[in-house]
């Protein structure tokens, strides 16, 4: 890999929610730029105006910030190579497309949509691949100029060489050879005066000094066209890297739109905007996407800074990557365990407050060590720890009945535990456990029965962080009140 500072860009179209595929391009771009001391750029490719979704651009910027993949140049941060939104660059494309026309590499086409449709149907009948039949390619420049001057509508097409072979070199896949006669005279400038991706991306990558183009493998089909356009301009080509495709979680077939919806109903998502809501961390998500197409050892838990150290585009792989949400869980949980207490406290607090709970920060700091090992996603803090911030809990009376005993027996145990605990000046782990264990011994009950009742009584749930540590944090008054309430519930059964 070159040690020259790389200029990389992520160039999403604001046509829907930010997908993890965009995040993956951005991550690799970011790693390469940081590794080489270069720049990482955000460019918004919004020339397909009919598909632009309001709010999508903001979602992309928010998503990149959430992932902490901060770009050096972009629509909202500026930079020396702007504007960074393609609809703000119309004149630039016009200048360049005119150059191509002047050099004989592009031509105006006046064919109407109706004519093009008729041509397409004819080709279909003859079982040919749809392609432009070249009618306007034959027009003389004078004739074309006359028709433009008379106000006829037109588009600009690329004049693809008809002879020979195009050799396009992808960094991961090597040389890709295509017979030029198989290539089509694609549209560069549309009738609305806006460029297609083919023109806009090539112009912008050149104008913005992009050294490495990392993009999805869906662009492999038009890759020969793109290198032809760059060569027609006489520009230096960037290093081209087409990343691997994503497969369904089953590994069978490409990930589809429908899979994205299904993932959401499963508590997962392929959209970056959902990750925070679902309790995933930027660290977990970055680690997960990093390894879907980059061949560092599969189980590697890496921070983004560690990734920068180890990154090389030579390590990227073109093999398809199945979306494995279990791995997302794994990386998320592993990173959560690495957070400091203060950091994790700050990250889980919003999950409690959004449930309307009033969070005491001192309590929060004390519960973090109890929760940390139990969290796969940050919002798991709710199922394990909401009771710490509630005035009362509402246990299910059935859950208060210890295994092998009835409600009356369970009430008697709760009553005895209440007496033992109220005899203690404070409920601390050290003070409470020995007398309660002694009671277990002398009563001939088993510890699970006694502690199970106390757990459900004080936390309201059957699964909780360690009982005595939890009770200590809940505090003496609340614990005693909750046990009293449990006794009442049991008596009413
Ligand atoms: N706007 C293109 C897309 O969203 C970007 C492809 C590229 O990175 O060049 O697919």
């Amino acid at each position: 890999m070159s040690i020259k500072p790389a200029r990389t860009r992520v160039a999403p179209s604001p046509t829907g929610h930010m997908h993890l595929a965009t995040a993956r391009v951005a991550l690799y771009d970011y790693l390469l730029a940081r590794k080489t001391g270069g720049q990482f750029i955000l460019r918004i490719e919004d020339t397909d105006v009919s598909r632009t979704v309001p709010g999508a651009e903001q979602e992309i910027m928010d998503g990149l910030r959430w992932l902490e993949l901060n770009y050096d140049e972009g629509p909202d941060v500026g930079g020396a190579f702007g504007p960074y939104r393609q609809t703000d660059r119309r004149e630039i494309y016009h200048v360049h497309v005119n150059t191509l026309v002047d050099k004989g590499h592009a031509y105006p086409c006046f064919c109407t949509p109706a004519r093009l449709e008729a041509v397409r149907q004819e080709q279909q009948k003859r079982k040919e691949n749809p392609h432009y039949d070249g009618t306007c390619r034959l027009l003389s420049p004078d004739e074309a100029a006359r028709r433009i001057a008379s106000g006829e509508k037109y588009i600009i097409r690329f004049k693809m060489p008809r002879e020979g072979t195009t050799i396009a070199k992808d960094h991961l896949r090597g040389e890709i050879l295509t017979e030029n006669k198989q290539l089509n005279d694609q549209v560069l400038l549309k009738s609305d005066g806006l460029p297609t991706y083919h023109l806009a991306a090539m112009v912008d990558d050149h104008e913005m000094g992009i050294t490495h183009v990392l993009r999805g493998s869906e662009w492999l089909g038009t890759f020969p066209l793109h290198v032809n356009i760059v060569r027609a301009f006489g520009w230096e080509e960037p290093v081209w890297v087409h990343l691997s495709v994503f497969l369904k979680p089953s590994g069978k077939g490409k990930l589809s739109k429908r899979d994205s919806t299904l993932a959401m109903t499963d508590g997962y998502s392929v959209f970056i905007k959902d990750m925070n809501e679902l309790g995933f961390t930027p660290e977990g998500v970055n680690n997960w996407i990093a390894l879907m197409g980059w061949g560092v050892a599969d189980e590697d838990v890496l921070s983004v800074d560690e990734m920068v150290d180890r990154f090389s585009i030579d390590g990227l792989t073109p093999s398809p990557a199945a979306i494995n949400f279990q791995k997302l869980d794994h990386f998320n949980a592993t990173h959560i365990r690495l957070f400091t207490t203060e950091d994790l406290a700050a990250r889980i607090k919003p999950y409690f407050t959004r449930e309307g709970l009033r969070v005491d920060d001192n309590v929060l700091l004390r519960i973090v060590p109890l929760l940390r090992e139990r969290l796969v996603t940050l919002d798991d803090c709710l199922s394990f720890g909401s009771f710490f911030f509630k005035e009362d809990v509402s246990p299910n009376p059935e859950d208060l009945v210890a295994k092998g005993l009835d409600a009356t027996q369970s009430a008697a145990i709760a009553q005895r535990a209440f007496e033992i605990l109220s005899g203690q000046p404070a409920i601390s782990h050290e003070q409470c456990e020995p007398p309660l264990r002694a009671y277990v011994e002398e009563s001939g009950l088993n510890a699970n029965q006694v502690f199970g009742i106390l757990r459900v009584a004080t936390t309201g749930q059957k699964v909780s962080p360690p009982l005595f540590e939890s009770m200590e944090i809940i505090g003496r008054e609340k614990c005693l009140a909750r046990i009293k309430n449990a006794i009442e519930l049991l008596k009413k059964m």
Side-chain angles (χ1 to χ4, degrees):
M1 189 185 63
S2 135
I3 42 161
K4 256 183 42 200
R7 280 179 62 81
T8 59
R9 90 303 187 271
V10 63
S13 299
T15 52
H17 293 307
M18 180 182 174
H19 195 273
L20 59 91
T22 303
R24 185 181 63 169
V25 171
L27 175 63
Y28 295 162
D29 280 337
Y30 176 91
L31 297 177
L32 182 59
R34 293 291 168 269
K35 172 94 186 185
T36 58
Q39 293 86 34
F40 164 51
I41 293 147
L42 169 64
R43 182 171 77 223
I44 297 293
E45 301 205 327
D46 58 348
T47 60
D48 193 346
V49 179
S50 64
R51 291 183 60 220
T52 297
V53 172
E57 177 179 319
Q58 190 59 45
E59 189 180 311
I60 293 162
M61 301 192 293
D62 293 345
L64 291 173
R65 295 227 159 78
W66 182 77
L67 289 163
E68 294 174 30
L69 302 176
N70 294 324
Y71 38 95
D72 305 299
E73 299 168 28
D76 57 339
V77 298
F81 297 79
Y84 293 92
R85 190 181 291 113
Q86 288 184 328
T87 48
D88 297 334
R89 297 172 63 80
R90 288 169 199 250
E91 289 74 34
I92 302 174
Y93 307 121
H94 289 181
V95 169
H96 284 294
V97 86
N98 288 338
T99 308
L100 279 191
V101 173
D102 291 346
K103 288 167 101 182
H105 290 300
Y107 59 93
C109 170
F110 303 91
C111 295
T112 59
R115 175 173 190 274
L116 294 174
E117 178 54 26
V119 168
R120 197 187 63 79
Q121 287 185 8
E122 279 302 310
Q123 292 170 342
Q124 211 170 19
K125 267 193 220 147
R126 294 198 299 268
K127 303 232 177 324
E128 287 173 18
N129 283 335
H131 60 276
Y132 179 57
D133 66 354
T135 303
C136 293
R137 189 177 164 124
L138 304 171
L139 295 177
S140 71
D142 285 350
E143 165 79 356
R146 190 190 56 71
R147 290 175 70 170
I148 291 175
S150 76
E152 243 187 277
K153 268 195 149 192
Y154 69 99
I155 57 173
I156 304 282
R157 290 186 183 272
F158 186 62
K159 196 185 267 180
M160 183 61 79
R162 290 266 166 89
E163 318 273 283
T165 308
T166 296
I167 302 176
K169 186 166 182 285
D170 173 88
H171 190 78
L172 306 180
R173 299 159 204 259
E175 291 186 342
I176 300 166
L177 273 67
T178 316
E179 295 294 327
N180 287 345
K181 60 173 181 284
Q182 292 174 1
L183 298 172
N184 196 1
D185 283 2
Q186 294 279 7
V187 180
L188 298 178
L189 200 70
K190 299 176 286 181
S191 56
D192 61 1
L194 282 168
T196 56
Y197 169 80
H198 313 308
L199 176 70
M202 298 315 113
V203 166
D204 289 346
D205 288 339
H206 171 73
E207 289 278 306
M208 295 180 180
I210 301 304
T211 58
H212 296 72
V213 169
L214 277 64
R215 59 183 188 175
S217 58
E218 66 272 22
W219 296 107
L220 277 169
T222 41
F223 182 29
L225 165 70
H226 299 149
V227 302
N228 273 293
I229 294 174
V230 174
R231 290 171 194 170
F233 277 115
W235 294 333
E236 196 182 327
E237 281 179 59
V239 176
W240 302 95
V241 186
H242 293 89
L243 302 174
S244 57
V245 289
F246 288 111
L247 301 180
K248 294 176 194 293
S250 64
K252 291 190 192 105
K254 275 199 206 165
L255 191 75
S256 70
K257 276 232 164 82
R258 189 160 168 275
D259 299 320
S260 309
T261 325
L262 287 179
M264 196 60 200
T265 53
D266 241 9
Y268 296 103
S269 179
V270 292
F271 299 125
I272 300 304
K273 71 169 178 71
D274 298 327
M275 295 295 179
N276 183 52
E277 168 106 24
L278 294 171
F280 294 107
T281 61
E283 289 81 354
V285 174
N286 276 322
N287 207 151
W288 180 53
I289 56 185
L291 302 189
M292 285 193 272
W294 177 23
V296 272
D298 212 30
E299 285 308 311
D300 268 336
V301 174
L302 298 170
S303 69
V304 170
D305 286 344
E306 288 163 338
M307 292 181 209
V308 170
D309 280 346
R310 295 167 67 163
F311 189 72
S312 143
I313 51 169
D314 296 339
L316 297 178
T317 151
S319 327
I323 306 276
N324 182 334
F325 289 116
Q326 281 65 47
K327 280 195 184 158
L328 173 58
D329 280 343
H330 163 75
F331 286 120
N332 204 60
T334 313
H335 280 282
I336 285 176
R337 280 157 191 60
L338 299 173
F339 296 154
T340 63
T341 298
E342 289 71 18
D343 185 14
L344 185 51
R347 293 190 198 226
I348 59 176
K349 185 172 175 176
Y351 294 89
F352 289 121
T353 50
R354 81 176 182 194
E355 292 295 303
L357 295 167
R358 277 205 21 238
V359 175
D360 175 325
D361 287 327
N362 290 323
V363 171
L364 182 64
L365 285 173
R366 290 171 72 197
I367 69 170
V368 163
L370 305 187
L371 298 184
R372 188 186 271 116
E373 297 295 319
R374 293 174 167 75
L375 304 181
V376 172
T377 52
L378 292 174
D379 63 337
D380 286 344
C381 67
L382 292 173
S383 52
F384 287 114
S386 293
F387 63 85
F388 286 112
F389 302 111
K390 288 185 178 158
E391 227 17 74
D392 311 307
V393 290
S394 326
N396 176 357
E398 315 264 299
D399 294 341
L400 286 163
V401 180
K403 212 165 171 216
L405 305 175
D406 63 20
T408 314
Q409 291 164 314
S410 301
I413 295 169
Q415 180 60 39
R416 184 70 199 112
F418 179 86
E419 284 154 17
I420 293 169
L421 292 173
S422 41
Q424 303 295 329
I427 290 192
S428 74
H429 186 179
E430 294 76 29
Q431 280 174 3
C432 299
E433 193 172 351
L436 284 170
R437 288 218 179 263
Y439 165 57
V440 169
E441 290 283 302
E442 83 202 20
S443 62
L445 294 159
N446 72 44
N448 286 343
Q449 290 171 315
V450 176
F451 298 159
I453 296 173
L454 279 180
R455 182 186 307 279
V456 177
T458 55
T459 70
Q461 53 200 53
K462 291 204 288 196
V463 182
S464 79
L467 177 63
F468 294 107
E469 280 95 332
S470 298
M471 283 174 40
E472 183 170 334
I473 297 172
I474 295 167
R476 183 173 192 277
E477 298 316 312
K478 270 195 195 166
C479 278
L480 291 176
R482 288 179 185 185
I483 298 169
K484 201 99 239 113
N485 179 48
I487 296 167
E488 295 309 316
L489 288 174
L490 283 164
K491 281 187 180 159
K492 279 195 217 133
M493 282 183 79

